[in-house]
Amino acid sequence: MRVFNINEPQFEYDASDPEPYSAGMDRFGPKIGASQLGGSVYELPPGQSVCPYHYEYAEEEWLLVLTGVATVRDPEGTRELREGDLVCFTTGPEGAHKVTNSSDETIRVLMISTVKWPAVTVYPDSDKIGAFAAPGGERILVRRSDNRDYYDGEV
């Protein structure tokens, strides 16, 4: 049995993440041998978000606020979640979400999701859609407005 202590994450920050998406992350799913569920603890300094507003077509995601107050945007608007609050983001447009720290204190949140490959993610604010083959594999991000006919370019 592999053990990960949720209270002792080792956060990694990706220097290539632009503002306001600079969040520390400890992806623990693989550390405990998980293959069908993913789990990550995020540390969000003031003003930072986990990722842009998005929804998944194949993956359900859960959010648990561990410390502080998280501001969550979903299709119904924006609301604050406090320590211990747990929510589910279902698949499709009704599960769209963005997690932000609007407070003056660093916060921590836990995200758990199903793992489905390939994954398809939609980013409504920027009109993008992403197709991700697998971790470290091919990834394609395009504007949805570039939609083509099924037979476009075929002979």
Side-chain angles (χ1 to χ4, degrees):
M1 176 173 57
R2 300 183 200 171
V3 177
F4 174 83
N5 189 309
I6 207 80
N7 295 316
E8 299 174 358
Q10 300 297 306
F11 294 112
E12 294 182 16
Y13 282 78
D14 186 339
S16 68
D17 287 344
E19 292 287 328
Y21 300 102
S22 181
M25 178 181 70
D26 190 338
R27 187 175 307 255
F28 64 84
K31 293 178 180 180
I32 60 172
S35 62
Q36 296 184 34
L37 290 176
S40 298
V41 178
Y42 291 92
E43 176 179 70
L44 285 94
Q48 301 303 308
S49 298
V50 174
C51 58
Y53 186 65
H54 71 285
Y55 60 87
E56 311 279 348
Y57 272 115
E59 298 178 352
E60 179 177 276
E61 295 180 285
W62 289 18
L63 167 70
L64 173 64
V65 179
L66 299 174
T67 64
V69 176
T71 301
V72 178
R73 175 183 166 202
D74 71 3
E76 297 175 7
T78 302
R79 71 178 79 176
E80 290 186 343
L81 301 178
R82 59 187 174 86
E83 290 181 26
D85 284 346
L86 174 68
V87 296
C88 174
F89 304 115
T90 60
T91 60
E94 61 278 0
H97 61 282
K98 179 178 180 178
V99 180
T100 301
N101 179 2
S102 299
S103 76
D104 295 330
E105 307 273 332
T106 297
I107 68 170
R108 288 185 179 181
V109 298
L110 168 70
M111 301 230 27
I112 296 175
S113 69
T114 53
V115 176
K116 308 273 182 162
W117 299 107
V120 176
T121 306
V122 175
Y123 304 90
D125 292 345
S126 58
D127 189 42
K128 290 189 307 257
I129 188 166
F132 307 91
E138 185 174 20
R139 62 183 235 162
I140 301 167
L141 286 150
V142 297
R143 300 269 182 223
R144 288 189 296 175
S145 58
D146 191 42
N147 189 32
R148 302 295 175 117
D149 180 78
Y150 180 75
Y151 294 105
D152 180 73
E154 301 298 329
V155 292

